[in-house]
């Protein structure tokens, strides 16, 4: 019997099942070693382990420059500022992404133009990017959603044709490859999070990589102290401004540097552990009539695989996604309906011009959206069930998740009857 209807749950392991915010034993060792060696609390210049870490990241992505910062959000802000976006510039962005892919544009008053996604991968659809280009378009931002690389050949062709900059948000795709090219090395600049839920995590952190020295200098001036700008900013134009910089403190904490660097050194093992578990989950789910594992195209590798959603078929199941997820949750699974985050065009910020950013001054240039405006993203997101991104959990737990999904599917008639009785009672 389904646990939702009084039966025993399939998964009895204690929660949380996948605590991405926990320090690993290796993190503890690294942090302790830093403290015992009398390590610093903060790198004001591009010094010490920070320099080594940035050099390693630049080399990993095959880029000339890396600037580490204190979050992925601020890496994106630095990237957007770095490419010189100005008020009124239009930037084509996905609606199906984490909010920080887009929100740093607000403070630059650059106008986000939300684009639809491919219905299978959930990634921004190059054809929809084309439809949104206007004379004011300056850049395209892509998120390699849950590690699956965006169709970059098509995106880069569009960017070349129209003279646009491409910013990659590689936060969920560290180590991913597209046609044997590393994600994060494909656009003009790539930004990524080194935050708590990421594979190369410092708890908090982020970085950008680029070949463009102007982006690097502007990122330094935006978020770093004069001591760092003194060694990094040498161009005639920007050099005079190193004393004040451009106003923010985006320095990455020294312990976060040490921890993230340690994880970078263990990246292959971490990726292997996650792939073992998530491919096992996909095999376990295959053949389920109502829940299909994510699609991975043959010429990509998902790298860190920073999210796992499976596609629910409400028509075949004859129940809504909330009912199905409630049944899975009752079986002991940590799952969420409609993916990890809401679509951006459903957020209030994109529904009203009077957004409170500058009180009393509605932002009339901003694009506003309604339900139905980005139909494939709505179709896709409304069918996604988000799972934990298992890393070092026992594979038996992963197998138990797959079994629980099959159990719920096997009792679908009872679930339909329960849903119908519920709606009659309301
Ligand atoms: C795709 C994406 N972009 C940006 C960010 C922002 O990173 P942070 O939380 O480090 O600011 C995240 C964080 O989860 C993310 O998933």
């Amino acid at each position: 019997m389904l646990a939702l209807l009084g039966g025993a749950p399939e998964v009895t392991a204690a929660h949380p099942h996948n605590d991405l915010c926990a320090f690993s034993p290796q993190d503890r060792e690294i942090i302790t070693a830093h403290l015992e060696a009398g390590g610093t609390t903060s790198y004001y210049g591009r010094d010490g382990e920070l320099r080594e870490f940035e050099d390693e990241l630049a080399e990993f992505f095959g880029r000339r420059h890396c600037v580490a910062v204190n979050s992925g959000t601020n890496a994106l802000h630095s990237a957007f500022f770095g490419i010189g976006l100005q008020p009124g510039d239009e930037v084509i962005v996905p609606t199906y992404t984490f909010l920080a892919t887009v929100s740093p544009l607000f403070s630059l008053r650059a106008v986000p133009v939300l684009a639809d996604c491919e219905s299978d991968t959930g990634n921004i659809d190059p054809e929809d990017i084309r439809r949104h280009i206007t004379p004011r378009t300056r850049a395209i931002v892509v998120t390699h959603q849950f590690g699956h690389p965006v169709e970059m050949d098509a995106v880069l062709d569009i960017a070349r044709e129209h003279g646009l900059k491409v910013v990659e948000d590689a936060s969920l795709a560290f180590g991913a490859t597209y046609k044997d090219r590393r994600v994060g090395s494909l656009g003009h600049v790539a930004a990524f999070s080194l935050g708590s839920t990421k594979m190369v995590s410092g708890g908090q952190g982020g970085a950008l990589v680029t070949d463009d020295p102007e982006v690097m200098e502007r990122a330094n001036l935006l978020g770093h102290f004069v001591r760092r700008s003194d060694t990094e900013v040498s161009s005639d134009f920007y050099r005079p401004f190193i004393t004040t910089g451009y106003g923010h403190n985006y320095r990455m904490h020294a312990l976060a540097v040490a921890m993230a660097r340690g994880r970078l050194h263990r990246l292959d093992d971490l990726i292997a552990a996650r792939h073992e578990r998530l491919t096992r989950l996909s095999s376990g789910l295959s053949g389920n009539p109502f829940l299909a594992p994510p699609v991975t195209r043959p010429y990509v590798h998902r790298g860190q695989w920073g999210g796992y959603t499976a596609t629910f078929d409400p028509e075949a199941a004859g129940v809504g996604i909330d009912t199905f997820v409630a049944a899975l949750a009752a079986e002991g699974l940590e799952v969420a309906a409609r993916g990890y985050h809401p679509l951006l065009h459903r957020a209030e910020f994109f529904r009203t011009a009077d957004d409170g950013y500058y009180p009393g001054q509605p932002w009339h240039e901003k694009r506003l959206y309604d339900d139905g405006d980005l139909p494939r993203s709505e179709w896709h997101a409304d069918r996604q069930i988000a799972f934990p991104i298992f890393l070092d959990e026992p594979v038996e737990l992963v197998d138990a998740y797959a079994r629980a999904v099959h159990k719920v599917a096997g009792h679908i008639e009872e679930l339909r009857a329960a849903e119908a009785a519920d709606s009659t009672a309301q």
Side-chain angles (χ1 to χ4, degrees):
M1 186 190 244
L2 290 175
L4 188 71
L5 305 175
E10 185 67 38
V11 177
T12 50
H15 297 278
H17 290 163
N18 176 227
D19 185 4
L20 297 168
C21 294
F23 289 107
S24 70
Q26 294 94 331
D27 298 333
R28 280 197 204 99
E29 267 173 39
I30 283 167
I31 290 168
T32 308
H34 180 92
L35 296 176
E36 285 178 351
T40 185
T41 58
S42 189
Y43 300 103
Y44 281 89
R46 190 169 178 273
D47 307 323
E49 188 164 28
L50 173 72
R51 169 185 286 276
E52 288 167 29
F53 183 47
E54 288 184 346
D55 288 348
E56 286 164 2
L57 286 173
E59 193 189 333
F60 182 84
F61 288 101
R63 287 286 166 110
R64 284 167 58 197
H65 308 289
C66 172
V67 182
V69 294
N70 54 7
S71 70
T73 309
N74 288 337
L76 284 151
H77 186 209
S78 304
F80 297 153
F81 183 84
I83 61 172
L85 290 177
Q86 297 185 18
D89 286 349
E90 291 179 7
V91 182
I92 300 174
V93 298
T95 183
Y96 187 49
T97 186
F98 183 62
L99 59 97
T101 307
V102 174
S103 55
L105 294 170
F106 304 163
S107 61
L108 297 169
R109 290 264 131 173
V111 179
V113 177
L114 301 175
D116 218 343
C117 74
E118 300 173 333
S119 42
D120 55 352
T121 62
N123 275 334
I124 193 166
D125 177 1
E127 282 314 304
D128 204 52
I129 293 177
R130 252 182 217 290
R131 278 193 278 280
H132 292 297
I133 291 175
T134 76
R136 298 177 74 177
T137 309
R138 294 283 171 272
I140 302 166
V141 184
V142 301
T143 301
H144 305 289
Q145 191 69 308
F146 309 139
H148 195 297
V150 165
E151 282 304 330
M152 288 305 284
D153 284 344
V155 171
L156 294 171
D157 280 349
I158 296 168
R160 260 190 302 273
E161 263 172 56
H162 295 272
L164 309 176
K165 296 277 195 299
V166 174
V167 178
E168 292 179 79
D169 181 347
S171 296
L172 303 173
F174 204 106
T177 55
Y178 171 74
K179 300 183 180 172
D180 295 327
R181 284 146 22 192
R182 199 178 286 299
V183 155
S185 67
L186 304 170
H188 194 81
V189 51
F192 45 91
S193 169
L194 303 171
S196 52
T197 60
K198 305 302 181 293
M199 190 168 267
V200 181
S201 166
Q204 288 285 313
L208 68 77
V209 289
T210 184
D211 284 335
D212 183 341
E214 187 172 8
V215 171
M216 179 275 287
E217 290 198 349
R218 289 178 63 81
N220 271 287
L221 288 167
L222 182 71
H224 298 270
F225 194 64
V226 60
R227 225 172 86 193
R228 178 171 171 131
S229 294
D230 193 21
T231 59
E232 304 310 301
V233 178
S234 55
S235 66
D236 290 346
F237 184 81
Y238 288 111
R239 179 96 196 144
F241 307 111
I242 64 170
T243 317
T244 54
Y246 291 147
H248 295 267
N249 172 3
Y250 287 172
R251 282 199 305 284
M252 188 170 175
H253 194 284
L255 290 178
V257 171
M259 178 174 151
R261 184 165 178 241
R263 291 196 183 198
L264 178 64
H265 294 171
R266 299 198 304 285
L267 185 64
D268 289 347
D269 291 346
L270 294 170
I271 287 179
R274 176 155 293 151
H275 277 246
E276 183 193 353
R277 285 157 181 78
L278 295 188
T279 49
R280 196 171 172 118
L281 180 58
S282 284
S283 324
L285 292 181
S286 70
N288 192 282
F290 313 129
L291 197 62
V295 169
T296 302
R297 294 188 179 150
Y299 45 85
V300 309
H301 186 272
R302 285 179 181 262
Q304 91 177 56
W305 203 338
Y308 185 103
T309 68
T311 304
F312 176 63
D313 183 343
E315 288 80 24
V319 296
I321 192 168
D322 293 308
T323 302
F324 199 79
V325 164
L328 294 176
E331 296 299 334
L333 273 56
E334 293 173 4
V335 283
R338 297 178 194 79
Y340 299 95
H341 309 289
L343 295 172
L344 289 182
H345 75 282
R346 285 174 166 164
E348 192 52 32
F349 192 87
F350 288 103
R351 297 279 164 139
T352 170
D354 195 4
D355 53 37
Y357 200 101
Y358 293 113
Q361 296 188 46
W363 185 10
H364 292 299
E365 281 184 299
K366 189 172 66 178
R367 301 281 184 95
L368 299 178
Y369 296 87
D370 268 322
D371 290 342
D373 282 349
L374 296 160
R376 259 170 301 125
S377 302
E378 293 172 19
W379 184 94
H380 180 83
D382 285 346
R383 282 167 174 69
Q384 297 310 300
I385 297 184
F387 282 75
I389 39 174
F390 299 108
L391 185 61
D392 46 13
E393 291 72 22
V395 291
E396 291 74 21
L397 178 63
V398 179
D399 294 343
Y401 264 65
R403 268 201 317 277
V405 175
H406 289 299
K407 175 180 169 188
V408 172
H411 288 74
I412 203 71
E413 292 293 346
E414 291 157 43
L415 201 57
R416 285 178 195 149
E419 188 185 68
D422 241 25
S423 65
T424 317
Q426 276 166 17

